[in-house]
Amino acid sequence: MNIVVLTGSPHKKGTSALLADEFVRGAKQAGHKVLRFDAAFEKVKPCKACDHCRRHNGECTHNDAMEDLNPGLIGADLVVFVTPLYYFGMTAQLKRVVDRFYAINAALRSAPKRAMLLATGADDEAPAMEALVGHYRAICRYLGWKDAGAVLALGVGVRKDIEQTAFPQQAYELGASL
Ligand SMILES: Cc1cc2nc3c(=O)[nH]c(=O)nc-3n(C[C@H](O)[C@H](O)[C@H](O)COP(=O)(O)O)c2cc1C
């Protein structure tokens, strides 16, 4: 299976990076091919809504890392969104990537895919993730992608918090179970 993992945190050794690391470890052990795209460390410009892509068969006027990512995204069987909660949603770094899906909507919608969500947040009350999960589900519905699972790690503000929980193991098992 071809898997694309999109991460959104600016922390290379943060809480959500650990979930991504463990998921990727499990998925690779299970024999899958993983393309990881750490959005915070890539050059991705925000969509400027010029609609050039609508008039030019998906071609974007931006010349950046999305050019490398797009073929992997289109060919993926599974797309995994990994983000810390930022004001109840995904980070701007990851949202920039999602907005750029716009140029290749048709290709993304025509190839059946599964999706997963791995998220972390400092709050420890379940409603903290509601808006993020709602947004993720709306994206899946719009693109015709099937939700295939999630790890929602609440109560983890920093790396040492999450290291003491079962969430990394859950992320590993999600990857290994594919
Ligand atoms: C700008 C910003 C906004 C945040 N908003 C939330 C929030 O709405 N809910 C929450 O539980 N944690 C919030 N946090 C805390 C982070 O989600 C939390 O520390 C997370 O573990 C960081 O993940 P990372 O180490 O992968 O970057 C916020 C942190 C920042 C910097």
Side-chain angles (χ1 to χ4, degrees):
M1 190 190 297
N2 288 319
I3 302 173
V4 170
V5 176
L6 304 173
T7 75
S9 174
H11 294 140
K12 278 192 172 151
K13 296 278 174 198
T15 59
S16 56
L18 181 57
L19 294 186
D21 292 345
E22 287 303 292
F23 174 86
V24 169
R25 190 167 69 85
K28 283 187 172 168
Q29 273 179 17
H32 302 293
K33 198 171 150 217
V34 180
L35 171 64
R36 177 170 172 162
F37 188 86
D38 295 311
F41 304 96
E42 296 283 355
K43 192 175 148 206
V44 179
K45 295 177 195 153
C47 175
K48 58 186 178 191
C50 63
D51 269 355
H52 177 93
C53 57
R54 289 292 188 264
R55 297 185 298 273
H56 296 87
N57 199 26
E59 178 193 275
C60 184
T61 56
H62 287 318
N63 199 326
D64 60 21
M66 291 303 292
E67 282 178 303
D68 299 326
L69 177 62
N70 281 345
L73 267 176
I74 292 166
D77 303 294
L78 169 69
V79 177
V80 185
F81 298 90
V82 188
T83 187
L85 270 183
Y86 274 14
Y87 281 88
F88 306 96
M90 67 178 69
T91 65
Q93 290 90 335
L94 181 56
K95 181 63 162 49
R96 253 180 353 203
V97 172
V98 172
D99 285 351
R100 295 283 298 280
F101 287 5
Y102 186 77
I104 55 167
N105 267 345
L108 293 177
R109 295 175 84 169
S110 63
K113 296 187 198 311
R114 294 197 280 162
M116 289 180 173
L117 175 65
L118 310 180
T120 58
D123 287 355
D124 55 9
E125 289 172 10
M129 294 273 183
E130 276 176 3
L132 174 69
V133 171
H135 186 195
Y136 162 76
R137 286 190 182 140
I139 291 168
C140 288
R141 203 163 41 241
Y142 173 68
L143 293 173
W145 297 359
K146 189 175 175 331
D147 172 37
V151 176
L152 305 179
L154 282 167
V156 296
V158 292
R159 178 80 169 213
K160 73 170 172 23
D161 296 335
I162 195 165
E163 283 172 351
Q164 291 157 9
T165 70
F167 296 125
Q169 179 67 20
Q170 287 172 18
Y172 167 79
E173 284 168 10
L174 205 53
S177 69
L178 292 166

